[in-house]
Structures are given as structure tokens and as C-alpha cells.
């Protein structure tokens, strides 16, 4: 899903993603946008600009 950002993620970092029940209704675009946002907030990747999120 985020293979285009794989090089940006330190291979020594492990993380666990826990979602809210409402996420089961998300399409893949929304899942990706939320995951990129969460990784950026955790300082795992840099915050993408608006064009990169889509």
C-alpha cells in the first residue's frame, strides 16, 4: 500500500496500527491518507504535501 514511501521508513522501526471500528467503511484512498498522516504525526515519515497524499 505504501510501497512508494517504503524508502522513507527506517527499517529498524516496528509499529502497530490499531484502527477505530469506523475505519472498516473507508476506501483504500482514505486508509492510505490516514495511515500517511499517522506516520507523519509519529515522525516516522515527513508530512507529505497535498499532492503526495492522493
Amino acid at each position: 500500500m505504501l510501497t512508494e514511501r517504503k524508502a522513507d521508513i527506517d527499517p529498524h522501526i516496528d509499529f502497530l496500527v490499531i484502527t477505530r471500528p469506523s475505519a472498516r467503511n473507508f476506501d483504500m484512498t482514505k486508509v492510505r491518507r490516514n495511515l500517511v498522516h499517522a506516520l507523519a504525526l509519529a515522525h516516522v515519515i515527513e508530512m507529505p504535501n497535498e499532492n503526495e497524499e492522493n
Side-chain angles (χ1 to χ4, degrees), residues 20-39:
R20 294 190 169 115
S22 61
R24 75 171 48 104
N25 299 320
F26 291 179
D27 61 17
M28 288 307 293
T29 301
K30 194 166 185 176
V31 169
R32 181 187 183 284
R33 183 175 33 236
N34 280 276
L35 183 54
V36 167
H37 181 73
L39 291 174

Side-chain angles (χ1 to χ4, degrees), residues 1-50:
M1 176 166 64
L2 289 173
T3 55
E4 69 275 6
R5 300 298 305 253
K6 185 176 180 179
D8 299 334
I9 299 172
D10 181 345
H12 299 101
I13 295 176
D14 293 327
F15 50 92
L16 174 67
V17 177
I18 301 173
T19 64
R20 294 190 169 115
S22 61
R24 75 171 48 104
N25 299 320
F26 291 179
D27 61 17
M28 288 307 293
T29 301
K30 194 166 185 176
V31 169
R32 181 187 183 284
R33 183 175 33 236
N34 280 276
L35 183 54
V36 167
H37 181 73
L39 291 174
L41 287 176
H43 304 286
V44 173
I45 61 174
E46 288 186 29
M47 184 66 81
N49 65 37
E50 289 295 316

